[in-house]
Amino acid sequence: MTQNAYSHAAIAGSGSFLPSRVVTNDDLAAELATRGIETSDQWIVERTGIRQRHLAERGVRTSELATEAARRALDDAGMAADELDLIIVATSTPDYVFPSTACLVQANLGNQGAAAFDVQAVCSGFVYALSTAEAYIRAGRARCALVIGAEVFSRILDWNDRSTCVLFGDGAGAVVLKACDTPGVLASALHADGSLMKILCAAGNVAYGEVTGDPFLRMDGQAVFKQAVTVLERSARKVCAEAGVSVQDIDWLVPHQANVRILNFLARKLDVSLDKVVLALDKHANTSAASVPLAFDMARRDGRIQAGQLVLLQGVGGGFTWGSVLVRV
Ligand code: UT7
């Protein structure tokens, strides 16, 4: 078979993994109250839709969550790790400065020889990684890719800042993307506007043996909210036009899980029923690069997303970055 015998890529399996510790809004409010920080289940649910999050124990690393999600995705695809020739991990909370988290996952899985690298596009990371893997496959440079979004975001939260610490959780999601002769990924579009860096960033680093800058996530929530609604709508319309389908043809929207009010606005702007929007943030909160594959895997496994359906995956977040991938599953 020649390298370019297959000109398309399709999702062959998915998997996800969450740390076992569930922290409800009430648990979190009680914990923050011991330090004089006031919040409530009512505020968090009304403003965000989040009811609980999974938080990794101190010391648990992103590669561990990513590896578990990857094993489940490989299992779902009926594939072995040695069949992979590309591994991409989207994360903003890598285990180390280097090597990449993708290399650590590769070693954990026992794969040898696949290309492995991380993608850094914050909450858009998974769609960036999926679009990149699809381009490799379509170009004949890879046949079978593992694409993971994984985060231990609790590591970079300022637990004294109630405007951010209640919003995020930890977790990982993965898909196996395989070369095939009929299109699975129909269209994708990635975008960024680096001039908006300040509205969502963790502007710190390790340098000269110490942490320089600010090690915590900082966000102008309202500015991010407005950008998210605008770019997600524009991006959805763009990929649908590119694929020659109408927005109304989409069976499931799987947008980045940050705030239920963003998802409501998006559905209204696109004139799509809310019943078609996968909601996972009530259970997982915002898991950054993991949020889209976690929601996708959850909706596949509970039977909502069925084979043959049209699914729009969308990310948006720090950078500022955003993107969409339209897939026939
Ligand atoms: O993953 C990247 C994508 N991220 C996002 O998409 C996040 C987008 N932004 C949002 O989801 C929302 O802007 C937030 C949920 C972050 C904030 O909601 P908001 O409706 O924009 O609230 P706000 O920032 O305007 O704050 C309203 C009030 C403030 O009090 P005052 O000034 O009105 O007295 C805040 O101090 O709510 C207060 N507040 C809280 N109160 C209780 C902020 N955080 C909390 C809290 N508990 N945790």
Side-chain angles (χ1 to χ4, degrees):
M1 197 172 292
T2 67
Q3 218 185 8
N4 285 318
Y6 297 109
S7 51
H8 300 288
I11 292 176
S14 66
S16 56
F17 183 75
L18 290 155
S20 60
R21 183 160 68 110
V22 176
V23 178
T24 66
N25 291 344
D26 281 332
D27 295 337
L28 190 54
E31 209 280 310
L32 293 177
T34 63
R35 284 181 284 121
I37 301 164
E38 202 182 309
T39 190
S40 65
D41 175 60
Q42 188 185 354
W43 190 95
I44 301 170
V45 172
E46 280 177 11
R47 299 290 178 130
T48 72
I50 294 164
R51 292 182 182 277
Q52 61 175 47
R53 73 283 296 136
H54 291 245
L55 295 180
E57 298 296 339
R58 207 179 170 91
V60 169
R61 290 173 295 150
T62 297
S63 64
E64 298 171 47
L65 308 185
T67 301
E68 280 311 311
R71 287 201 173 109
R72 292 173 188 197
L74 284 168
D75 192 44
D76 186 46
M79 291 185 47
D82 60 9
E83 296 176 68
L84 298 167
D85 52 13
L86 177 64
I87 299 171
I88 310 180
V89 175
T91 188
S92 297
T93 48
D95 291 18
Y96 304 124
V97 173
F98 66 81
S100 69
T101 306
C103 285
L104 302 172
V105 171
Q106 177 187 37
N108 289 345
L109 294 176
N111 169 281
Q112 286 190 337
F117 58 89
D118 288 359
V119 159
Q120 161 60 293
V122 201
C123 306
S124 309
F126 180 76
V127 295
Y128 264 67
L130 188 60
S131 176
T132 303
E134 191 257 346
Y136 268 76
I137 289 175
R138 211 155 28 82
R141 303 283 168 132
R143 296 283 297 276
C144 186
L146 180 61
V147 184
I148 307 170
E151 305 278 13
V152 181
F153 239 56
S154 55
R155 250 177 53 192
I156 57 165
L157 298 176
D158 178 352
W159 291 99
N160 291 312
D161 174 9
R162 68 176 183 174
S163 72
T164 53
C165 74
V166 303
L167 304 175
F168 295 91
D170 303 328
V175 300
V176 175
L177 196 67
K178 266 181 86 170
C180 62
D181 50 16
T182 51
V185 176
L186 304 182
S188 72
L190 304 178
H191 298 280
D193 180 352
S195 72
L196 295 175
M197 175 238 173
K198 283 221 159 72
I199 66 173
L200 178 51
C201 59
N205 207 339
V206 178
Y208 314 109
E210 57 188 52
V211 174
T212 63
D214 186 344
F216 296 124
L217 176 151
R218 304 292 174 201
M219 177 167 73
D220 175 346
Q222 289 187 2
V224 171
F225 193 109
K226 284 184 199 136
Q227 279 296 325
V229 174
T230 305
V231 299
L232 288 174
E233 183 203 358
R234 199 191 303 150
S235 175
R237 294 197 187 284
K238 185 179 158 94
V239 288
C240 285
E242 198 183 303
V245 302
S246 135
V247 172
Q248 273 62 43
D249 293 335
I250 296 171
D251 295 297
W252 293 103
L253 256 70
V254 187
H256 173 50
Q257 306 283 313
N259 189 318
V260 72
R261 292 187 291 135
I262 293 177
L263 306 193
N264 291 346
F265 270 112
L266 179 66
R268 203 176 315 149
K269 282 185 154 220
L270 292 173
D271 195 20
V272 164
S273 161
L274 256 185
D275 297 340
K276 289 184 169 187
V277 181
V278 173
L279 183 77
L281 62 88
D282 54 335
K283 297 185 187 67
H284 306 159
N286 180 346
T287 56
S288 191
S291 93
V292 172
L294 261 168
F296 175 75
D297 185 55
M298 185 184 83
R300 268 190 80 230
R301 285 174 191 263
D302 70 20
R304 274 180 288 170
I305 296 179
Q306 303 270 339
Q309 288 187 322
L310 200 54
V311 181
L312 181 65
L313 307 169
Q314 294 199 284
V316 60
F320 202 75
T321 56
W322 64 97
S324 300
V325 180
L326 185 65
V327 291
R328 177 80 63 194
V329 291

